[in-house]
């Protein structure tokens, strides 16, 4: 985030970045308490590992997500 204050308002340039890559195999205990229930944790671990194998066998590939936006005349309310 880059911000420049003009008078009492801000002009902001914001960039959000994430990289989706399932490059590390997850053991069950790595995901055991990720959700509010054990069955959901096991299910999410299984899905993650399917994505891991999909990448390993080149069915899927990693990708980046970039979101950029500007927010001009943003006023901080106290």
């Amino acid at each position: 985030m880059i911000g420049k204050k003009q008078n009492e308002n801000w002009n902001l340039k914001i960039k959000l970045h994430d990289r989706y890559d399932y490059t590390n195999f997850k053991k069950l205990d790595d995901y055991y308490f990720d959700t509010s229930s054990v069955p959901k944790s096991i299910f999410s671990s299984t899905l993650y590992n399917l994505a891991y194998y999909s990448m390993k066998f080149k069915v899927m590939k990693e990708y980046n997500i970039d979101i950029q936006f500007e927010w001009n005349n943003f006023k901080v309310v106290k």
Side-chain angles (χ1 to χ4, degrees), residues 14-26:
I14 300 167
K15 179 179 181 180
L16 304 172
H17 172 80
D18 198 1
R19 181 174 181 83
Y20 284 82
D21 63 341
Y22 302 93
T23 54
N24 298 318
F25 184 81
K26 299 289 182 179

Side-chain angles (χ1 to χ4, degrees), residues 55-70:
M55 288 188 66
K56 185 174 180 172
F57 295 116
K58 308 224 185 278
V59 174
M60 280 178 29
K61 57 188 258 191
E62 66 276 355
Y63 57 94
N64 294 313
I65 293 181
D66 291 303
I67 301 170
Q68 297 181 40
F69 60 95
E70 292 186 25

Side-chain angles (χ1 to χ4, degrees), residues 13-74:
K13 292 183 179 182
I14 300 167
K15 179 179 181 180
L16 304 172
H17 172 80
D18 198 1
R19 181 174 181 83
Y20 284 82
D21 63 341
Y22 302 93
T23 54
N24 298 318
F25 184 81
K26 299 289 182 179
K27 297 177 187 170
L28 186 57
D29 58 341
D30 293 336
Y31 269 76
Y32 195 70
F33 295 108
D34 266 5
T35 66
S36 58
S37 74
V38 173
K40 286 182 185 177
S41 296
I42 293 169
F43 182 68
S44 81
S45 176
T46 302
L47 290 178
Y48 181 93
N49 286 334
L50 285 172
Y52 164 81
Y53 282 113
S54 294
M55 288 188 66
K56 185 174 180 172
F57 295 116
K58 308 224 185 278
V59 174
M60 280 178 29
K61 57 188 258 191
E62 66 276 355
Y63 57 94
N64 294 313
I65 293 181
D66 291 303
I67 301 170
Q68 297 181 40
F69 60 95
E70 292 186 25
W71 195 348
N72 294 313
N73 296 314
F74 175 75

